[in-house]
Amino acid sequence: MTAGADAFASGLFTRFDITFLVAEPTRKGVSVYHQYRDHAREFGIRLAVIGNKITGEDDLLFLKEEVGDDLLTHLVQSPGSAPPNRAASRASWSHTTTTP
């Protein structure tokens, strides 16, 4: 399926037992997860998150804090790739969970 929450525009997502999301440890990646989670909850769809481009323990902790038990596993940043500076972008991040 496509990236982002557009997959919920059709009923296709209801045809699967579980949806796997690949999310980077960024505010945008986590916000897409939250959109999916909220939509999926309405339809009883299970979610599992695969963390992508993890550069260190801070990235992994950020994802664990934001997605909790939905984090299934993670992949590390490819060797030789320039790691992003995520600490600065997360400094102002404050997530508010909405419960339906």
Side-chain angles (χ1 to χ4, degrees):
M1 295 209 267
T2 61
D6 292 342
F8 286 99
S10 74
L12 182 62
F13 72 95
T14 63
R15 304 286 186 217
F16 303 102
D17 297 326
I18 187 169
T19 299
F20 294 91
L21 303 176
V22 178
E24 294 181 20
T26 63
R27 290 183 289 172
K28 183 174 182 169
V30 168
S31 70
V32 170
Y33 159 77
H34 289 291
Q35 284 180 312
Y36 262 81
R37 182 201 61 201
D38 294 345
H39 290 304
R41 185 180 293 150
E42 294 176 28
F43 294 92
I45 306 296
R46 289 181 43 218
L47 291 180
V49 176
I50 300 167
N52 194 27
K53 299 181 183 176
I54 304 299
T55 61
E57 192 64 27
D58 287 346
D59 286 349
L60 193 53
L61 287 174
F62 177 76
L63 276 179
K64 284 180 180 179
E65 289 173 2
E66 294 297 326
V67 305
D69 292 338
D70 286 342
L71 184 62
L72 179 65
T73 191
H74 68 277
L75 305 168
V76 297
Q77 179 79 25
S78 298
S81 298
N85 181 358
R86 293 194 183 108
S89 68
R90 287 192 211 131
S92 62
W93 173 252
S94 64
H95 172 69
T96 306
T97 303
T98 55
T99 305

